[in-house]
Amino acid sequence: MPDSTAPDTIAPDATAPAPQKRALITGITGQDGGHLAEFLNSKGYEVYGLIRGQRNARKEAFEAEFPYVHLIEADLTDQTSLIQAVLTSQPDEVYNLGAISHVGYSFRNPQLTADITGKGVLNLLEAVRIAGFAEKARFYQASTSEMFGGLDYNRPGAGYNEESLFHPRSPYGVAKLYAHWIARNYRESYGMFVSTGILFNHEGERRGLEFVTRKISNAVAAIHLGLQDHIELGDLYPKRDWGYAGDYVKGMWLMLQQDEPDDFVLATGETHSIEEFLQLAFAEIGIDNWKNYVRQNPEFMRPAEVDILLGDPSKAERVLGWTRDVDFPGLVKLMVQHDIKLLSPGK
Ligand code: GDP
């Protein structure tokens, strides 16, 4: 007699490790790409990253810092390479961080910005669909506070949230707004799991020197070490909602762990001027009269300026349980101390 209590199928082994998740990241050599690769690796993901060009100058340094990342040569303007990248990586999660990401540069290169920052996301979404991953892969689109534009009529006292009006003030902001809407359109049209993160400025030790925070932390460190005697900047009155990039990549990941795709603002809910950043950065090296070390140069001013950005992260905090470890003074300190170490002789 067969044992009627015996199971007729083999029960799954509850102690077996969950299969390793796979993530594909565009813009992996950028600031957020580095933080996200590190974070996903710590969570046990197999991480794939797109890298551009025949001999990308950043490749060697990147491989030394992130030996666990599988690099795939592809380009956001080249549809075939993107399809191949999806097929190679077989992703559970796709993070589209690749973009021409500097506002000043976008004024000088508006068409390139439209092609990469704007249309690049369409190419990637299509690649996911064509490769047969529309249902399997979850997709994160890196949207930005630059889509809001900071104009008076459009500035809510409590900060911009997911319902605020858009009025981008740069070719970068305009391209990102197209990217934001095409990402939402793929969610609505094809039922894809596509979430967008509307991230306010986020900085840190990996920030490029072309951004004002890193330009300042680097110069302050150089002044401290006697390597330069002043810094040249554009307008100092603009205010930004500056957070720490390491905190923001956790928010990106949380968005893809939800039951439903959605749009989320990530911000600190505080806004500070460049003058305030300068004051804290110079205080870090014991200098109070920071104005003696700063010269204004029109070269660094923009054809249209975003005067103030302030975000309201309450939805992300409530729904995602998103929290931040680094506050504004902590961010300035972290960046200046990092650059002092980096520039010190025999570091
Ligand atoms: P953005 O908010 O994405 O444009 O980030 P940035 O760090 O490039 O610029 C932040 C603010 O700093 C903007 O209002 C710039 O106009 C202002 N700013 C003033 N001087 C400089 C400078 O020398 N370089 C940069 N990048 N921005 C500057």
Side-chain angles (χ1 to χ4, degrees):
M1 271 255 326
D3 179 0
S4 60
T5 62
D8 53 3
T9 54
I10 299 170
D13 177 0
T15 61
Q20 196 178 22
K21 276 197 178 176
R22 304 156 75 95
L24 175 63
I25 304 174
T26 73
I28 191 125
T29 58
Q31 167 184 254
D32 292 1
H35 281 288
L36 183 62
E38 205 168 73
F39 176 74
L40 292 178
N41 183 56
S42 76
K43 291 252 170 227
Y45 279 62
E46 196 165 351
V47 181
Y48 291 79
L50 294 196
I51 189 150
R52 239 176 339 126
Q54 212 174 337
R55 281 168 68 101
N56 189 313
R58 291 198 235 175
K59 191 173 178 190
E60 217 168 288
F62 183 89
E63 283 174 331
E65 191 176 355
F66 302 95
Y68 49 82
V69 172
H70 308 277
L71 290 177
I72 302 174
E73 276 182 27
D75 194 307
L76 280 172
T77 60
D78 176 1
Q79 181 81 76
T80 308
S81 73
L82 295 176
I83 296 168
Q84 276 165 350
V86 173
L87 290 173
T88 304
S89 57
Q90 305 267 309
D92 299 287
E93 295 171 13
V94 177
Y95 294 86
N96 185 40
L97 313 183
I100 300 281
S101 66
H102 189 248
V103 172
Y105 182 88
S106 80
F107 279 105
R108 298 189 293 279
N109 301 275
Q111 284 139 333
L112 185 65
T113 305
D115 284 345
I116 296 174
T117 305
K119 209 176 145 214
V121 61
L122 173 62
N123 293 340
L124 188 58
L125 286 161
E126 273 298 287
V128 170
R129 250 163 51 82
I130 292 167
F133 279 72
E135 282 176 24
K136 178 168 181 259
R138 296 182 166 203
F139 193 103
Y140 171 82
Q141 170 57 20
S143 292
T144 167
S145 53
E146 287 291 323
M147 301 187 310
F148 294 125
L151 295 176
D152 273 338
Y153 83 90
N154 194 21
R155 189 189 302 158
Y160 294 107
N161 64 22
E162 295 76 7
E163 309 305 324
S164 301
L165 282 179
F166 297 121
H167 186 144
R169 300 261 293 155
S170 63
Y172 168 71
V174 175
K176 276 286 187 183
L177 191 51
Y178 170 81
H180 182 72
W181 278 109
I182 199 71
R184 291 184 65 164
N185 179 256
Y186 270 57
R187 176 166 84 212
E188 291 168 12
S189 303
Y190 304 113
M192 286 170 65
F193 192 113
V194 178
S195 286
T196 71
I198 305 174
L199 269 53
F200 282 64
N201 298 53
H202 44 289
E203 318 291 312
E205 69 277 22
R206 296 188 204 278
R207 196 52 149 156
L209 287 166
E210 68 275 30
F211 291 88
V212 78
T213 55
R214 187 75 197 285
K215 185 173 170 181
I216 294 172
S217 67
N218 177 267
V220 166
I223 290 168
H224 178 62
L225 296 168
L227 303 172
Q228 74 186 58
D229 60 13
H230 74 281
I231 172 172
E232 295 193 0
L233 295 167
D235 284 318
L236 304 185
Y237 72 87
K239 291 182 155 187
R240 290 290 182 271
D241 181 328
W242 277 304
Y244 177 54
D247 288 335
Y248 284 50
V249 300
K250 288 184 212 160
M252 297 175 188
W253 175 78
L254 282 169
M255 288 178 212
L256 297 196
Q257 313 313 309
Q258 305 305 303
D259 291 339
E260 298 294 333
D262 205 342
D263 310 304
F264 295 94
V265 162
L266 298 187
T268 69
E270 282 179 33
T271 189
H272 298 277
S273 66
I274 297 162
E275 289 196 353
E276 288 173 80
F277 195 101
L278 280 163
Q279 193 194 342
L280 285 179
F282 275 97
E284 196 59 34
I285 58 165
I287 291 177
D288 292 331
N289 57 343
W290 59 267
K291 287 187 179 157
N292 294 348
Y293 297 82
V294 176
R295 291 184 203 155
Q296 208 157 45
N297 183 340
E299 189 192 322
F300 301 112
M301 294 176 185
R302 291 167 181 179
E305 182 57 84
V306 173
D307 293 346
I308 176 169
L309 286 176
L310 172 64
D312 169 9
S314 49
K315 179 178 171 185
E317 290 170 350
R318 192 181 68 249
V319 178
L320 305 176
W322 182 61
T323 54
R324 297 168 297 283
D325 291 332
V326 181
D327 62 6
F328 181 63
L331 173 68
V332 180
K333 189 185 183 72
L334 170 158
M335 292 180 72
V336 172
Q337 291 303 338
H338 171 84
D339 281 335
I340 290 175
K341 227 181 257 171
L342 202 67
L343 295 181
S344 292
K347 55 124 191 152

